[in-house]
């Protein structure tokens, strides 16, 4: 095995997404190593040929021989890892991540990072309602959006490298946004929708309705099966943007309620026509 | 079985659902006739062998030769039709409907109806985001719930007849609820979800986000493409139950918002665990 080469990629955090990166990139011929606190995840990945090598601790040789490091950790753990282990990076190493929130992560990490390595942040918008490397899937990125969120500290080369990584994964659309644009967008299209699904599921002990639910209820609540440890952290990391989006939605919902209470049929129809017209853009 | 002898079926209102009844029942060998104000719907149905005969006006012979009549009309039009044309029914005729709200329709119609015919209300929980007999599909009921909502005025024989109709259509599950139970349930699982989808679509001019939306946003807003004429009437016909459900949801959404604002991570996680646990019942 050519341990020292341009193609040594280290994945830190071998869960659903980290494992899916491993599968997709190994399939393309890269040498993939992984570090994950769970020995069972490393064992599974080795047994299933998802990685070429792995450790349940921070193996110094493994980190220092990586040309690129992909972090698939929760925001807080990610920062701690960088603080404690960045001395091990090979000079010139390229770092990226998969974190679903950006402003609260990107600036802190870039501020503390050694000047001879570069961290270019990214977010592949892919996920499942299942977890762990056991459920990872190299095809998960096939219809996903992939967003690179550089700051002033990033070089054009790193942005290109990161976009290229998204293309290698097979993502459908590669975009570049600022961390703030990303967080506002993700607050709306992902976090707000999860809040709605949770509230719909918890507002009423609806289990006796299971026999009457059609597709619409099931569609709206599919994402209410949620990893509470991860999502509570993501919500809090994006608190301001998410609160703004929640307020926008709650205000509009109250308007709809007022139209109904006032028997304002034309007002209701106007809202329905607007939603119909807008939704058409998404098909 | 009595149903077998009643082989002349008249469908009043030949849209998506009326047309789907026609297809499913004609396929089983019944003689299907239809009345719809749109001549083009009748023409289409005749040309495509969906019905055996049809009229764009109330043909007296057609009505009086029907053993069973299925109404697939908006609530207001349904009541008017009965008031104006009930003199034409054959004595002993069995009437049913597909209306998505019950209390506001069922009692009014039963109160005005001739004593020698029986109206047994039903609601097949099937639908599409498209309209018209042109989009009708006899398979639409295959995974649907079918709910019979009798009152004190209904005979056990009519309830059985109506359940049998649901089974003939191929519905997955046949239930009996009171009109009030039906309306409370439908307020939650269907109308509230549509209100949420509409508000999510109209709270923000989100068309620029089309490139970033993943499955969750698309799932939550699929039903925001909505027939404003029909749904505004259904919402208003079920106003009290729907307002109750909207308030339950809005209050719970506000609780979630307060937890986020207060950085109450454990409180957020508790809600997420509850939603995850409840949602598991629906899979």
């Amino acid at each position: 095995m050519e341990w020292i080469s341009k193609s040594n990629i280290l994945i830190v955090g071998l869960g659903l997404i980290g494992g899916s990166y491993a599968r997709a990139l190994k399939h393309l011929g890269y040498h993939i190593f992984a570090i994950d606190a769970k020995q069972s995840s490393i064992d599974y990945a080795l047994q299933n040929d998802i990685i070429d090598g792995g450790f349940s601790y921070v193996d110094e040789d493994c980190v220092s021989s990586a040309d690129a490091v992909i972090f698939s950790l929760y925001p807080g753990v990610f920062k701690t890892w960088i603080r404690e282990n960045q001395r091990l990076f090979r000079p010139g190493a390229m770092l990226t991540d998969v974190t679903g929130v950006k402003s609260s992560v990107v600036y802190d990490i870039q501020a503390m990072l050694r000047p001879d390595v570069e961290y270019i942040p990214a977010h592949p918008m892919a996920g499942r309602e299942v977890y762990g490397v056991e459920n990872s899937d190299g095809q998960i990125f096939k219809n996903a959006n992939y967003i690179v969120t550089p700051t002033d500290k990033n070089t054009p080369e790193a942005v290109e490298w990161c976009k290229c990584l998204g293309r290698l994964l097979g993502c459908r659309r590669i975009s570049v946004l600022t961390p703030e644009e990303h967080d506002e967008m993700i607050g709306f299209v992902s976090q707000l929708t999860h809040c709605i699904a949770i509230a719909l599921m918890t507002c009423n002990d609806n289990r006796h309705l299971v026999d009457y639910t059609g597709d619409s209820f099931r569609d709206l609540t599919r994402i209410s099966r949620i990893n509470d440890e991860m999502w509570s952290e993501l919500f809090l990391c994006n608190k301001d943007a998410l609160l703004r989006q929640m307020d926008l939605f709650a205000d509009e919902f109250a308007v709809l309620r007022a139209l109904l209470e006032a028997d304002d049929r034309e007002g209701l129809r106007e809202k329905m026509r607007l939603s119909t017209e807008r939704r058409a853009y998404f098909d």
Side-chain angles (χ1 to χ4, degrees), chain A:
Chain A
M1 183 187 307
E2 196 182 7
W3 176 248
I4 298 172
S5 81
K6 284 314 268 180
S7 57
N8 276 340
I9 298 177
L10 169 61
I11 293 169
V12 182
L14 198 65
L16 176 75
I17 300 296
S20 299
Y21 267 71
R23 285 182 192 269
L25 295 171
K26 190 164 178 353
H27 188 72
L28 293 170
Y30 292 94
H31 296 140
I32 307 297
F33 299 87
I35 292 176
D36 191 286
K38 277 173 75 179
Q39 183 65 46
S40 60
S41 296
I42 298 297
D43 292 343
Y44 180 91
L46 285 169
Q47 281 153 20
N48 289 274
D49 209 29
I50 299 170
I51 58 176
D52 295 295
F55 303 89
S56 60
Y57 54 89
V58 180
D59 182 86
E60 304 206 353
D61 286 345
C62 177
V63 178
S64 62
S65 44
D67 301 301
V69 187
I70 296 164
F71 288 91
S72 182
L73 297 172
Y74 293 178
V77 179
F78 180 20
K79 291 184 198 177
T80 304
W81 202 101
I82 294 288
R83 192 176 301 114
E84 294 179 352
N85 300 297
Q86 62 167 315
R87 66 190 158 74
L88 302 174
F89 292 133
R90 148 181 302 197
M94 191 68 84
L95 319 182
T96 187
D97 69 335
V98 307
T99 319
V101 290
K102 288 301 178 207
S103 308
S104 63
V105 171
V106 170
Y107 298 109
D108 286 353
I109 288 186
Q110 288 191 337
M112 73 168 104
L113 198 65
R114 278 166 44 187
D116 62 337
V117 297
E118 182 163 356
Y119 160 51
I120 173 73
H123 178 200
M125 288 180 67
R128 294 279 159 85
E129 280 76 49
V130 289
Y131 309 106
V133 67
E134 297 80 1
N135 289 301
S136 64
D137 175 0
Q139 302 296 308
I140 202 176
F141 307 106
K142 278 286 176 269
N143 275 311
N145 293 305
Y146 180 91
I147 303 164
V148 185
T149 63
T151 72
D152 291 348
K153 291 204 169 184
N154 284 111
T155 60
E157 293 71 30
V159 175
E160 276 315 304
W161 176 88
C162 198
K163 289 164 80 171
C164 181
L165 174 60
R167 282 191 290 269
L168 285 173
L169 292 169
C171 292
R172 185 169 51 93
R173 185 187 161 89
I174 316 283
S175 317
V176 175
L177 293 177
T178 67
E180 292 75 16
E181 286 168 340
H182 169 276
D183 288 351
E184 207 68 38
M185 177 277 289
I186 216 73
F188 183 72
V189 306
S190 170
Q191 296 186 330
L192 173 60
T193 54
H194 281 78
C195 287
I196 288 170
I198 293 164
L200 184 54
M201 217 55 214
T202 56
C203 71
N204 197 342
D205 190 354
N206 38 42
R207 282 170 295 181
H208 63 288
L209 298 178
V210 63
D211 292 327
Y212 304 109
T213 55
D215 290 346
S216 58
F217 185 81
R218 287 167 192 268
D219 279 358
L220 260 80
T221 58
R222 183 179 58 82
I223 55 173
S224 71
R225 294 187 77 162
I226 189 167
N227 177 335
D228 59 289
E229 189 182 358
M230 180 171 83
W231 282 90
S232 59
E233 184 165 340
L234 292 177
F235 280 9
L236 288 166
C237 281
N238 203 29
K239 176 175 155 177
D240 293 343
L242 178 53
L243 286 176
R244 272 194 299 279
Q245 301 297 343
M246 288 181 87
D247 288 342
L248 271 180
F249 171 77
D251 290 350
E252 182 69 6
F253 191 77
V255 168
L256 207 60
R257 188 203 183 284
L259 290 171
L260 178 62
E261 188 165 40
D263 292 314
D264 185 348
R265 186 165 180 191
E266 189 45 40
L268 286 172
R269 293 186 65 171
E270 215 166 282
K271 290 292 183 190
M272 290 175 181
R273 284 193 294 263
L274 179 59
S275 76
T276 300
E277 181 195 311
R278 282 206 184 142
R279 184 58 175 77
Y281 279 81
F282 292 82
D283 282 331

